[in-house]
């Protein structure tokens, strides 16, 4: 994409309402614009990041046999009355009425909806197990929306739901999602730490939240150093086998946040203790028959006996992750995108757009990179070099390829790695080989 044609309304000054790093940088980098309190429009650059995160989440959900559906944003209140949550959920739920005076709501979550769908069709143990998920916009009427997409009222979530015949099978589904989350966040360049958590309004008796490390995180984490060294994204994991040993590797180690920290355990860890700040990006729950019993998700087991289905739910904050990644990966100049989620792989900078040789070389590089399938943002504008450098650093693409008349005279272009800041002069062919490879 040529930057001269791209809609990228960057800002030089930080808007007064932006309180945290990710909010400031997302506004300045032209990724989002506020529509109303806690509700944002996603502009082209931000939308590309959002879709890249969504793609990784979808690939990892599909890899464990989770099937994608799409449920509506507007739900009937009667479903929530049936589960008992309509009055319990509180003012965060946006309640509305349609033209026929029926009570409706803008869904903050989908346990009731998916349970009704499953209950209407499942009849026997042969219909189990099932893992279903969707990626959909949610709404919670936060009393004080703040921090941009980190705590907005409208947000994009991945919700998954498991249906199993008994508690043992349900625990296996829970473990599949536990390990899948470790892989998902690692693919995004993040270290995720699972924490035993309260179940809150979702309910149940088993829950973990996943926090990623960021200096500006909302919670203080204390954990065993081993959490920082475990890697799962490149392992060949058979999700049909017993995954409890992998889960145990994490849950048997000390990890706590805020008021749940244990000073005695931390002292015992000595130099194996790590303290940092973290941001919640995922939450998983096993809640048994809380919803299936009330909404009639009952099947016949192998002996013909009626059994209430065991359930769990599993969320990832897709839009929240955009802000969380920025909180975890930025510097004084701007965003530093991990390659897997970056909106473009490389920023190609023509330092002298009015110069025939420089423009010809830049155009040729752009065409060759695009033909090789590399996502390129080509700054072909007639602007000052300083402005081009500042904006490329601000938007944080992993690589910058800089073409100028002086370098071309020597037969080289400059290649800059955004994360390390390392710069080197390389031949055009070498630059192409590095970026395409």
């Amino acid at each position: 994409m040529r930057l001269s044609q791209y809609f990228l309304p960057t800002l030089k000054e930080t808007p007064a309402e932006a309180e945290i790093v990710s909010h400031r940088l997302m506004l300045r980098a032209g990724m989002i614009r506020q529509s109303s309190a806690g509700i944002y429009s996603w502009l082209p650059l931000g939308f590309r990041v959002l879709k890249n995160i969504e793609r990784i989440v979808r690939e990892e959900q599909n890899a464990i046999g989770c099937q994608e559906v799409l449920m509506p944003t507007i739900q009937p209140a009667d479903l929530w009355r049936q589960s008992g949550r309509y009055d319990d959920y509180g003012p965060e739920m946006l309640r509305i009425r349609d033209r026929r005076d029926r009570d409706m709501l803008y869904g903050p979550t989908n346990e009731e909806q998916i349970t009704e769908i499953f209950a209407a069709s499942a009849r026997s143990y042969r219909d189990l197990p099932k893992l279903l998920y969707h990626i959909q916009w949610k709404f919670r009427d936060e009393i004080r929306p703040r921090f941009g997409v980190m705590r907005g009222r409208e947000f994009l979530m991945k919700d998954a739901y498991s249906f199993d015949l008994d508690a043992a099978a349900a625990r296996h589904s829970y473990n599949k999602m536990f390990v899948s989350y470790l892989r998902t966040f690692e693919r995004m360049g993040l270290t995720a730490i699972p924490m035993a958590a309260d179940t809150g309004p979702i309910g149940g008796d088993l829950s973990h939240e996943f926090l990623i490390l960021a200096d500006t995180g909302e919670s203080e984490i204390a954990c065993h150093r081993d959490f920082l060294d475990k890697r799962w994204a490149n392992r060949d994991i058979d999700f049909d086998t017993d995954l409890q040993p992998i889960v145990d590797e994490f849950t048997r180690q000390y990890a706590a946040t805020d008021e749940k920290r244990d000073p005695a355990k931390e002292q015992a860890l000595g130099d194996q203790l790590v303290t940092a700040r973290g941001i919640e990006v995922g939450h998983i729950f096993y809640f048994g028959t809380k919803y299936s019993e009330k909404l009639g998700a009952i099947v016949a087991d192998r002996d013909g006996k009626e059994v209430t289905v065991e359930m769990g739910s599993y969320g990832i904050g897709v839009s929240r992750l955009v802000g969380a990644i920025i909180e975890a990966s930025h510097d004084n100049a701007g965003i530093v995108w991990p390659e897997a989620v970056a909106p473009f792989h490389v920023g190609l900078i023509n330092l002298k757009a009015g110069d025939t040789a420089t423009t010809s070389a830049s155009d040729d590089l752009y065409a060759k990179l695009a033909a090789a399938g590399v996502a390129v943002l080509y700054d072909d504008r007639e602007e000052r070099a300083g402005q081009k450098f500042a904006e490329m650093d601000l938007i944080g693409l992993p690589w910058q390829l800089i073409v100028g008349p002086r370098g071309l005279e020597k037969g080289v272009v400059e290649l800059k790695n955004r994360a390390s800041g390392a710069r080197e002069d390389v031949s055009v062919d070498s630059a192409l080989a590095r970026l395409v490879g």
Side-chain angles (χ1 to χ4, degrees):
M1 173 61 68
R2 290 177 179 267
L3 192 48
S4 60
Q5 300 169 4
Y6 199 57
F7 184 58
L8 185 64
T10 57
L11 302 174
K12 291 183 179 179
E13 304 297 328
T14 299
E17 73 270 19
E19 301 177 59
I20 61 172
V21 169
S22 60
H23 194 191
R24 292 197 296 268
L25 290 176
M26 290 182 76
L27 289 170
R28 287 197 56 219
M31 295 178 64
I32 57 171
R33 287 294 180 267
Q34 181 170 301
S35 173
S36 59
I39 300 176
Y40 292 88
S41 295
W42 290 78
L43 307 186
L45 193 78
F47 190 64
R48 287 179 72 98
V49 178
L50 192 70
K51 300 308 283 186
N52 283 339
I53 291 172
E54 185 179 324
R55 171 182 51 78
I56 293 172
V57 169
R58 179 174 282 111
E59 288 172 356
E60 290 300 323
Q61 291 292 284
N62 294 346
I64 63 170
C66 209
Q67 301 173 58
E68 188 170 9
V69 300
L70 184 61
M71 291 176 279
T73 57
I74 305 298
Q75 302 179 30
D78 285 347
L79 265 181
W80 286 66
R81 290 192 176 105
Q82 195 173 343
S83 73
R85 285 207 299 172
Y86 185 72
D87 295 320
D88 293 345
Y89 206 88
E92 287 77 19
M93 181 188 288
L94 181 63
R95 295 165 170 84
I96 56 181
R97 287 189 175 180
D98 67 13
R99 66 171 63 201
R100 292 178 175 81
D101 212 30
R102 290 175 297 202
D103 290 328
M104 310 291 284
L105 58 97
Y106 194 132
T109 184
N110 283 79
E111 282 79 13
E112 286 81 0
Q113 188 87 72
I114 195 67
T115 307
E116 181 196 46
I117 292 169
F118 182 82
S121 59
R123 294 291 177 266
S124 82
Y125 69 92
R126 295 183 183 88
D127 298 316
L128 298 169
K130 285 290 184 295
L131 283 170
L132 304 173
Y133 79 100
H134 80 157
I135 299 174
Q136 179 62 288
W137 291 95
K138 312 285 188 185
F139 188 92
R140 292 176 191 161
D141 202 1
E142 292 272 359
I143 189 170
R144 190 186 173 196
R146 56 198 301 220
F147 303 153
V149 302
M150 293 286 289
R151 192 178 294 172
R153 293 193 294 165
E154 186 182 56
F155 50 94
L156 188 62
M157 283 284 294
K158 185 281 301 183
D159 299 313
Y161 303 91
S162 60
F163 301 87
D164 287 281
L165 190 62
D166 54 36
R171 183 58 192 254
H172 180 65
S173 293
Y174 186 94
N175 289 346
K176 285 174 73 171
M177 204 63 69
F178 188 107
V179 177
S180 173
Y181 275 32
L182 297 174
R183 291 164 56 97
T184 299
F185 297 127
E186 188 181 326
R187 281 188 60 190
M188 297 177 194
L190 303 169
T191 297
I193 299 177
M195 301 274 187
D198 295 328
T199 56
I202 300 294
D205 56 9
L206 178 62
S207 174
H208 285 86
E209 59 185 15
F210 290 76
L211 289 85
I212 63 168
L213 301 183
D215 291 340
T216 53
E218 59 206 343
S219 303
E220 186 169 68
I221 297 172
C223 66
H224 195 287
R225 186 174 298 278
D226 283 357
F227 278 98
L228 308 185
D229 299 326
K230 291 183 171 69
R231 295 290 181 267
W232 300 101
N234 295 321
R235 298 196 190 186
D236 185 15
I237 297 173
D238 183 352
F239 282 94
D240 292 325
T241 61
D242 181 14
L243 300 172
Q244 193 63 50
I246 297 177
V247 174
D248 288 345
E249 281 194 43
F250 289 87
T251 56
R252 70 170 175 241
Q253 297 279 22
Y254 177 75
T257 182
D258 295 334
E259 71 277 358
K260 295 184 178 180
R261 292 177 60 179
D262 186 328
K265 290 182 178 179
E266 292 182 16
Q267 185 175 8
L269 282 177
D271 60 5
Q272 294 302 302
L273 177 69
V274 174
T275 58
R277 301 201 67 80
I279 299 168
E280 182 187 345
V281 291
H283 208 149
I284 61 177
F285 304 84
Y286 164 55
F287 42 67
T289 61
K290 175 178 178 177
Y291 299 94
S292 52
E293 184 174 5
K294 292 178 179 178
L295 293 162
I298 298 171
V299 300
D301 68 9
R302 289 174 178 81
D303 298 322
K305 180 183 176 181
E306 287 191 342
V307 175
T308 304
V309 171
E310 299 274 336
M311 291 179 58
S313 73
Y314 316 90
I316 287 179
V318 176
S319 55
R320 180 179 174 86
L321 266 165
V322 181
I325 290 170
I326 294 173
E327 293 289 332
S329 188
H330 67 273
D331 59 21
N332 290 334
I335 303 165
V336 182
W337 289 116
E339 292 201 17
V341 300
F344 296 92
H345 183 62
V346 59
L348 173 61
I349 302 173
N350 179 348
L351 285 183
K352 196 170 183 180
D355 180 76
T356 301
T358 307
T359 299
S360 176
S362 299
D363 287 351
D364 185 60
L365 276 167
Y366 176 57
K368 288 177 178 176
L369 287 167
V374 178
V376 186
L377 184 61
Y378 174 22
D379 193 343
D380 59 340
R381 302 170 302 166
E382 294 188 10
E383 299 286 355
R384 295 179 296 105
Q387 179 179 340
K388 294 187 175 190
F389 290 143
E391 289 191 355
M392 278 296 177
D393 282 347
L394 173 63
I395 65 176
L397 307 183
W399 294 95
Q400 295 175 19
L401 183 58
I402 303 155
V403 183
R406 292 181 182 177
L408 287 177
E409 288 178 1
K410 302 174 185 176
V412 297
V413 292
E414 186 177 14
L415 190 62
K416 175 184 174 181
N417 181 276
R418 178 68 181 87
S420 67
R423 298 169 176 264
E424 56 182 314
D425 290 335
V426 297
S427 68
V428 170
D429 288 342
S430 179
L432 285 169
R434 294 269 295 278
L435 295 171
V436 170

